């Protein structure tokens, strides 16, 4: 009961999306609606993503407490394609350095009549916190909070998978690497299970798999070849250099030898398996260049789909608020 | 001033009493239990018909934030909260600002509390200077100033040699050392139990091993030094198991548990509820049940409030950045009585865990009714119910996850040293 109540902060009383904080608590219908909406915005072959007037006159604020040029840029592009005005705040370098609290920052920006916050923060739960304190009528979209969630990244991955594989039901998906610290993996696992795939696997050494990973609804493998056997989708995660310092891994070389994806190891997967990566890739650490640039890699397509998916999420949230009487 | 408390059900676990008995008070002392002394004329009679009369509660670990900035509370506000909670003896923790590592700070605390006359405030003084875990505090001087125990607060010693020396030195003066068992390396900057919920929420985890490793280490050092060690705020089933074994080998060790640990679990942090951010963290249902079992069989002899009042801002941030702790003085009795309702242990046993149990651990004379003893009394109404409301709390800290919980047995009267310091129908006093 408590869980439903908490997650419902994302939904209005009609079950429509008010905020987009996590995949948890969202049903298959809603995820499918996001994918369908994204499809309507997506680029047709050889043509750019459509620009639509859906959010004309609206103010969207990128509130980034953690620097990320790539994610911020795709959100900004998505907002502009929806004809919104965009404010960018890089808070890590301005307000908090002067002792301003997160709530102070929020109130100040709200005073600029922003209707949507795109939030990235280094602490898990930050997007929930901001959503709880945001004024009514303001939507919060989580662009990554700590190790918790990165739901738009997960949805663009789902979009990519659907484009290439069609139906989710028969799929086996393997996520390889640093599950412990990955908000992307957590959101992907939730999305894949909600969309009803056959199996989600995580592959990595014990130090990078959470102790209670099974509670996420996955099968755990420590051997890459075994874990890749007969999968339809391989998702490689980025390995942060600092993992070597915390005694989590001995070296990048050993990691690559055990968990790096090569064409040879990819042979274990289905012949038509696709390879994904949220980027940016550490070539020679997570995967060989020949895989990253090879025929099965859909990594660059993920990036372009990201804009359509973020347009979908933004427009669905704003629509929900637009229909609520003031 | 003579006071008679009549027609109540008197429960005094220390003396095995649970029967309809009157209590007669002259000045600061109990002068008779049962019939009044000959010629005794009460100036005031409290009719406790249908109510339970028990010794005032003894809370062996509460942070009163005094001396300090005042933002989180002070002795005035927090003893008011204690009186409302039926608590008449508090052992305050040394993590004040400045730290309780000099006789002057102890005297300041005692003087302030004596002036207020609302509850007895005793001190657990710092084990190491500034709680830095490096240099020993002036333990003999602190003892002479009135410290009833030594503690390093919520900052476990990292250096085992310092811990060994601290235990040995404290033992020279027969002082009890209260340890919060935690290995700070294994804690690794975590903020929630390393389990299914933290995994899903992506919160950095604190494994149960961060506590059990420390308990093992502390037990080994207790055995080696012969020190009188008390574990404060256990949270893990594995700690209980070790404690049970240690007690069986007659090691002079004991433990308490924070009241909230007996009711909440990791599930309660769902939705990033910062009011459930506590240290040690809320763990699994199995851990909670093991703690309950240990309280029921007496392996854990004391339930404490682990009172940590905070200003609003301290909890207004993303979960990992919030300050851990619950403002617990006003729910200590309520949460203890709830264990009785849930069939964990009988009423008089439950009351023992918040009266004579904690008092005996530190060799304090309180927590019992004795003729000639100080008249510290808590009266509560087992037929009535009350709902905790944040804005009705007396503590400066309104940080509680129990907002809106309905509890049985509201405190109706609290007497400290024969003086009425709280009554429910006329609140607040002073």
């Amino acid at each position: 009961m408590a869980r439903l109540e908490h997650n419902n902060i994302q939904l209005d009383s009609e079950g429509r999306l008010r905020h987009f904080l996590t995949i948890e608590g969202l049903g298959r219908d809603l995820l499918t609606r996001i994918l369908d909406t994204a499809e309507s915005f997506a680029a047709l072959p050889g043509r750019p993503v459509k620009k639509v007037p859906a959010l004309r006159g609206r103010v969207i604020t990128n509130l980034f407490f953690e620097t990320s040029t790539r994610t911020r840029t795709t959100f900004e592009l998505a907002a502009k394609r929806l004809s919104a005005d965009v404010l960018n705040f890089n808070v890590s370098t301005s307000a908090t350095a002067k002792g301003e609290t997160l709530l102070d920052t929020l109130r100040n920006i709200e005073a600029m009549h922003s209707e949507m916050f795109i939030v990235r923060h280094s602490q898990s739960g930050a997007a929930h916190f901001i959503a709880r304190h945001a004024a009514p009528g303001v939507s919060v979209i989580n662009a990554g909070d700590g190790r918790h969630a990165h739901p738009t990244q997960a949805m663009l991955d789902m979009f990519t998978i659907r484009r290439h594989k069609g139906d989710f039901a028969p799929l086996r998906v393997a996520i390889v690497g640093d599950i412990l610290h990955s908000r992307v993996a957590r959101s992907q696992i939730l999305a894949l299970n909600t969309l009803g795939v056959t199996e989600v696997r995580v592959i990595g050494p014990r130090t990078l798999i959470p102790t209670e990973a099974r509670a996420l609804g996955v099968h755990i493998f420590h051997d890459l070849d075994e874990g890749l056997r007969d999968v339809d989708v391989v998702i490689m995660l980025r390995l942060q250099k600092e993992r070597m310092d915390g005694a989590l891994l001995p070296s990048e070389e050993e990691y690559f030898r055990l968990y790096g994806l090569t064409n040879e190891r990819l042979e274990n997967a289905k012949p038509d398996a696709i390879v994904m990566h949220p980027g940016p890739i550490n070539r020679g650490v997570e995967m060989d260049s020949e895989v990253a640039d090879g025929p099965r890699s859909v990594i660059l397509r993920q990036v372009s789909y990201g804009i359509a998916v973020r347009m979908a999420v933004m427009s669905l949230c704003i629509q929900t608020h637009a229909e609520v009487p003031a | 001033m003579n006071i008679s408390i009549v027609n109540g059900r008197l429960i005094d676990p220390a003396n095995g009493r649970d029967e309809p008995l009157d209590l007669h008070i002259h000045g600061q002392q109990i002068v008779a239990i049962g019939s009044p002394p000959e010629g005794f004329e009460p100036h005031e009679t409290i009719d406790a018909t249908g109510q339970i009369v028990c010794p005032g509660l003894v809370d062996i670990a509460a942070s009163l934030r005094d001396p300090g900035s005042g933002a989180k509370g002070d002795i005035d506000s927090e003893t008011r909260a204690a009186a409302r909670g039926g608590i008449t003896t508090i052992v305050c923790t040394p993590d004040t600002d400045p730290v309780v590592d000099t006789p002057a700070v102890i005297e300041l605390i005692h003087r302030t509390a004596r002036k207020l006359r609302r509850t007895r405030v005793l001190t657990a003084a710092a084990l190491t200077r500034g709680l830095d875990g490096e240099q020993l505090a002036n333990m003999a001087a602190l003892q002479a100033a009135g410290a009833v125990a030594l503690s390093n607060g919520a900052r476990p010693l990292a250096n085992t040699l310092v811990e060994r020396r601290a235990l040995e030195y404290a033992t020279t003066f027969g002082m009890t050392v209260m340890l919060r068992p935690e290995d700070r390396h294994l804690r690794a900057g975590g903020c929630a139990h390393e389990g299914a919920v933290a995994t899903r929420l992506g919160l950095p985890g604190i494994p149960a091993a961060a506590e059990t490793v420390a308990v093992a280490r502390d037990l080994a050092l207790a055995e080696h030094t012969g020190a009188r060690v008390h574990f404060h705020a256990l949270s893990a089933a594995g700690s209980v198991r070790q404690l049970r074994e240690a007690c069986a080998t007659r090691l002079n060790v004991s433990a308490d548990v924070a009241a909230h640990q007996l009711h909440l679990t990791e599930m309660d942090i769902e939705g990033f509820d910062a009011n459930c951010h506590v240290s040690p963290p809320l763990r699994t249902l199995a851990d909670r049940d093991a703690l309950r079992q240990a309280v029921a069989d007496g392996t854990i002899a004391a339930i404490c409030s682990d009172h940590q009042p905070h200003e609003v801002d301290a909890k207004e941030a993303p979960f990992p950045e919030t300050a851990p702790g619950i403002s617990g003085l006003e729910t200590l009795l309520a949460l203890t009585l709830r264990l009785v309702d849930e069939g964990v242990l009988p009423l008089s046993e439950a009351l023992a865990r918040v009266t004579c149990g904690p008092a005996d651990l530190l060799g304090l004379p309180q927590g019992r009714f004795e003729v000639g003893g100080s008249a510290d009394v808590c009266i509560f109404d087992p037929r009535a119910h009350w709902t905790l409301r944040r804005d009705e709390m007396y503590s400066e800290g309104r940080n509680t996850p129990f907002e809106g919980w309905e509890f049985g047995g509201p405190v109706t009267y609290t007497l400290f040293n024969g003086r009425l310091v709280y009554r429910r129908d006329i609140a607040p006093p002073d």
Side-chain angles (χ1 to χ4, degrees):
Chain A
M1 189 195 82
R3 195 184 311 176
L4 280 176
E5 198 178 295
H6 290 309
N7 280 338
N8 273 352
I9 187 177
Q10 298 193 94
L11 304 175
D12 72 359
S13 53
E14 311 287 311
R16 290 172 304 194
L17 206 58
R18 284 170 59 207
H19 305 292
F20 194 51
L21 310 173
T22 169
I23 304 291
E24 194 178 353
L26 304 183
R28 189 183 298 190
D29 289 352
L30 190 51
L31 298 193
T32 305
R33 178 142 188 243
I34 293 170
L35 296 178
D36 292 345
T37 309
E39 199 66 61
S40 74
F41 290 127
L44 296 167
R47 286 175 51 191
V49 174
K50 287 179 259 184
K51 180 155 180 166
V52 291
L55 303 189
R56 178 161 296 148
R58 310 277 191 158
V59 179
I60 291 178
T61 303
N62 274 321
L63 195 52
F64 277 51
F65 297 86
E66 201 182 61
T67 47
S68 159
T69 315
R70 293 158 49 104
T71 304
R72 206 202 64 207
T73 307
T74 57
F75 270 108
E76 189 169 346
L77 263 173
K80 287 184 170 160
R81 294 261 159 82
L82 292 166
S83 311
D85 296 322
V86 181
L87 293 173
N88 283 312
F89 279 86
N90 202 341
V91 195
S92 52
T93 53
S94 60
T96 42
K98 294 175 201 147
E100 193 177 77
T101 71
L102 187 45
L103 275 186
D104 293 335
T105 308
L106 187 67
R107 298 277 174 259
N108 273 307
I109 296 170
E110 260 173 8
M112 300 173 197
H113 303 290
S114 178
E115 283 138 310
M116 180 176 285
F117 292 117
I118 315 295
V119 179
R120 170 169 286 203
H121 198 284
S122 61
Q123 300 290 351
S124 302
H128 273 81
F129 174 76
I130 289 175
R132 261 201 306 272
H133 289 90
V138 172
S139 288
V140 176
I141 293 179
N142 187 0
D145 62 329
R147 306 176 185 178
H148 171 232
H150 195 348
T152 60
Q153 174 71 43
M155 288 314 291
L156 80 86
D157 295 333
M158 298 308 112
F159 188 86
T160 309
I161 293 172
R162 195 171 80 163
R163 274 255 170 137
H164 289 88
K165 294 289 169 194
D167 189 12
F168 285 98
L171 301 181
R172 290 179 199 280
V173 181
I175 306 174
V176 185
D178 184 1
I179 311 293
L180 179 65
H181 299 92
S182 177
R183 53 195 173 208
V184 174
R186 281 178 178 75
S187 289
Q188 287 168 338
I189 292 164
L190 284 161
L192 288 164
N193 282 323
T194 304
L195 291 166
V197 297
T198 295
E199 186 187 7
V200 183
R201 301 176 182 177
V202 297
I203 309 173
R206 289 282 297 265
T207 47
L208 298 181
I209 306 273
T211 32
E212 297 288 340
R214 258 176 213 90
L216 299 172
V218 296
H219 290 122
I220 299 166
F221 290 81
H222 301 302
D223 181 273
L224 183 63
D225 292 328
E226 200 188 319
L228 289 180
R229 202 150 297 147
D230 299 326
V231 300
D232 303 275
V233 178
V234 184
I235 301 175
M236 305 302 294
L237 297 175
R238 183 176 162 77
L239 185 77
Q240 307 284 347
K241 301 256 185 223
E242 60 260 32
R243 303 301 168 230
M244 261 51 76
D245 305 330
L248 288 157
L249 289 175
S251 66
E252 286 183 353
E253 293 71 31
E254 176 148 317
Y255 180 80
F256 181 71
R257 196 161 52 73
L258 294 172
Y259 299 103
L261 191 64
T262 59
N263 273 333
E264 191 192 343
R265 309 195 80 164
L266 193 52
E267 290 296 308
N268 291 290
K270 287 214 182 123
D272 61 346
I274 55 169
V275 176
M276 299 167 62
H277 190 296
I281 308 169
N282 290 312
R283 289 166 187 263
V285 179
E286 297 116 34
M287 63 171 84
D288 247 357
S289 282
E290 56 177 19
V291 178
D293 307 328
R296 303 209 204 160
S297 165
V298 297
I299 296 168
L300 285 178
R301 259 168 278 179
Q302 285 175 265
V303 179
S304 58
Y305 297 151
I307 296 167
V309 167
R310 285 166 179 138
M311 286 172 76
V313 171
M314 287 179 179
S315 59
L316 286 172
C317 284
I318 293 266
Q319 272 171 32
T320 302
H321 283 305
E323 289 164 25
V324 176
Chain B
M1 177 89 161
N2 292 344
I3 301 176
S4 289
I5 301 168
V6 301
N7 304 325
R9 172 180 165 194
L10 185 139
I11 303 182
D12 176 18
N15 296 301
R17 290 193 188 99
D18 181 357
E19 55 195 305
L21 283 172
D22 297 343
L23 197 66
H24 306 283
I25 297 163
H26 172 67
Q28 301 191 359
Q29 292 182 337
I30 294 169
V31 290
I33 300 165
S35 311
E38 211 163 308
F40 185 83
E41 289 288 340
H43 302 105
E44 189 167 341
T45 300
I46 295 173
D47 183 2
T49 302
Q51 307 201 36
I52 289 169
V53 179
C54 72
L57 273 54
V58 178
D59 183 3
I60 55 166
S63 180
L64 302 185
R65 312 295 195 204
D66 197 343
S69 74
K72 292 175 190 288
D74 55 25
I75 292 175
D76 186 12
S77 64
E78 302 319 292
T79 54
R80 223 179 269 277
R84 185 193 183 206
I87 299 165
T88 53
T89 300
I90 289 176
V91 178
C92 69
T93 52
D95 48 357
T96 48
D97 182 19
V99 161
V100 186
D101 62 357
T102 59
V105 179
I106 294 184
E107 280 154 21
L108 177 68
I109 292 170
H110 290 182
R111 195 164 54 236
T112 308
R114 266 201 308 275
K115 217 179 293 168
L116 292 164
R117 294 196 296 159
R118 217 175 276 129
T119 186
R120 181 178 295 98
V121 177
L122 306 172
T123 46
L127 186 63
T128 60
R129 238 178 257 186
L131 301 178
D132 66 1
E134 286 165 21
Q135 279 188 293
L136 301 186
N138 288 314
M139 299 182 198
L142 294 167
Q143 184 181 36
V148 296
L150 297 163
S151 149
N152 222 54
R155 292 162 66 177
L157 301 177
N159 183 327
T160 44
L161 180 62
V162 173
E163 180 172 342
R164 175 196 169 170
R165 301 290 190 230
L167 292 178
E168 284 172 336
Y169 195 72
T171 306
T172 314
F173 313 104
M175 293 193 80
T176 298
V177 179
M178 300 172 82
L179 296 174
R180 236 301 298 288
E182 185 176 78
D183 183 297
R184 78 161 78 146
H185 299 295
L186 285 170
R187 182 190 174 97
C191 64
H193 171 65
E194 186 181 301
V197 178
T199 293
R200 202 153 32 75
L201 296 181
L203 291 171
I206 305 170
E211 183 172 295
T212 54
V213 162
V215 168
R217 177 195 72 193
D218 297 345
L219 282 173
L221 288 172
E223 188 176 3
H224 181 77
T225 59
R228 162 82 189 98
V229 167
H230 173 80
F231 289 111
H232 166 52
L234 293 186
S235 70
S239 306
V240 171
R241 205 160 47 232
Q242 296 183 68
L243 180 68
R244 222 181 274 286
E245 267 173 44
C247 291
T249 59
R250 296 176 187 279
L251 215 56
N252 194 7
V253 293
S254 57
D256 68 62
V257 60
H260 55 256
Q261 289 284 1
L262 301 169
H263 295 278
L264 304 175
T265 68
E266 57 175 348
M267 295 300 291
D268 291 289
I269 65 170
E270 286 285 3
F272 301 99
D273 184 354
N275 280 311
C276 291
H277 181 193
V278 291
S279 181
L282 300 172
R283 299 199 187 271
T284 67
L285 203 59
D287 290 302
R288 191 207 66 175
D289 288 347
L291 292 168
R292 283 183 164 199
Q293 179 56 41
V295 166
D297 66 26
T299 305
I300 292 178
I303 303 172
C304 70
S305 69
D306 197 12
H307 182 65
Q308 304 280 345
H310 287 296
E311 73 281 20
V312 174
D313 281 353
K315 292 286 188 184
E316 292 283 343
F319 188 96
E321 290 181 348
T322 55
I326 289 174
S327 178
L329 291 173
E330 288 160 83
T331 43
L332 175 60
L333 178 63
L335 292 172
T336 303
L337 294 177
R338 207 180 174 88
L339 294 174
V340 180
D341 292 340
E342 295 182 15
V344 176
L345 74 178
L347 178 58
S348 75
E349 284 288 306
L351 290 175
R353 303 293 177 268
V354 287
T355 56
C356 56
D360 291 349
L361 292 178
L362 296 180
L364 306 174
Q366 284 83 30
R368 65 199 68 228
F369 289 141
E370 304 282 2
V371 171
S374 57
D376 298 347
V377 187
C378 166
I379 307 177
F380 62 92
D381 187 345
R383 306 156 304 178
H385 289 84
W386 65 288
T387 302
L388 182 76
R389 295 285 173 220
R390 220 165 254 157
D391 51 13
E392 292 170 5
M393 287 173 73
Y394 288 12
S395 169
E396 196 63 34
R398 308 287 167 87
N399 48 305
T400 175
F402 301 109
E403 159 79 17
W405 282 43
E406 197 182 77
F407 292 110
V411 173
T412 49
Y413 298 89
T414 304
L415 288 91
F416 165 61
N417 267 343
R419 179 168 176 262
L420 194 58
V421 291
Y422 173 80
R423 64 187 286 184
R424 192 170 183 232
D425 51 358
I426 311 171
D430 288 2

